[in-house]
Amino acid sequence: MIGIDIVESKRIKEAEMRTPGFLEKVFTPKEIAYCQKHKDPYPRLAARFAAKEAIVKALGTGFRGINFLDIDISHNELGQPKATLSKSPIKNKSPEELSQNIELSLSHTKDYGTAVALINFRP
């Protein structure tokens, strides 16, 4: 199963300015800390937002049974993006099992963040 999403960096910045606590409702503390280490955190935040959207698209569930904070986007020791789920929207799959079967690619420019998620499992 595959999912893809693209998000404007400006949209994330505007949402943060308009909605107090927006970042904390959508991103884990680790994600926020990683992105804020960079001069312009918004392209990286946009890519992580896109990754979460791509994952729920690939799962085929949308955000039913899972929310933004149940998905943490980080990197492995080689810098490859990885997703860790703390909750599973699929009845017969554990969060650990799903996390191990997600392949993720992120990219960003100044204006856009994008992600592709591939999930290798049979429902």
Side-chain angles (χ1 to χ4, degrees), residues 90-106:
I90 309 294
K91 288 181 186 177
N92 61 345
K93 301 289 182 186
S94 71
E96 296 80 16
E97 187 177 4
L98 284 178
S99 297
Q100 291 172 359
N101 287 288
I102 296 173
E103 295 181 50
L104 191 59
S105 181
L106 307 179

Side-chain angles (χ1 to χ4, degrees), residues 30-97:
K30 287 184 348 185
E31 291 171 321
I32 294 169
Y34 171 79
C35 294
Q36 288 182 338
K37 285 192 290 187
H38 296 85
K39 183 178 179 181
D40 183 1
Y42 297 103
R44 287 170 180 82
L45 289 166
R48 277 150 185 76
F49 190 99
K52 294 174 187 222
E53 290 276 358
I55 288 167
V56 298
K57 288 175 182 178
L59 288 170
T61 62
F63 281 102
R64 286 182 300 275
I66 194 167
N67 67 46
F68 282 102
L69 294 178
D70 294 326
I71 306 169
D72 181 70
I73 307 300
S74 61
H75 297 91
N76 68 16
E77 59 280 348
L78 299 174
Q80 180 182 14
K82 70 175 190 168
T84 304
L85 278 61
S86 61
K87 191 185 243 186
S88 173
I90 309 294
K91 288 181 186 177
N92 61 345
K93 301 289 182 186
S94 71
E96 296 80 16
E97 187 177 4

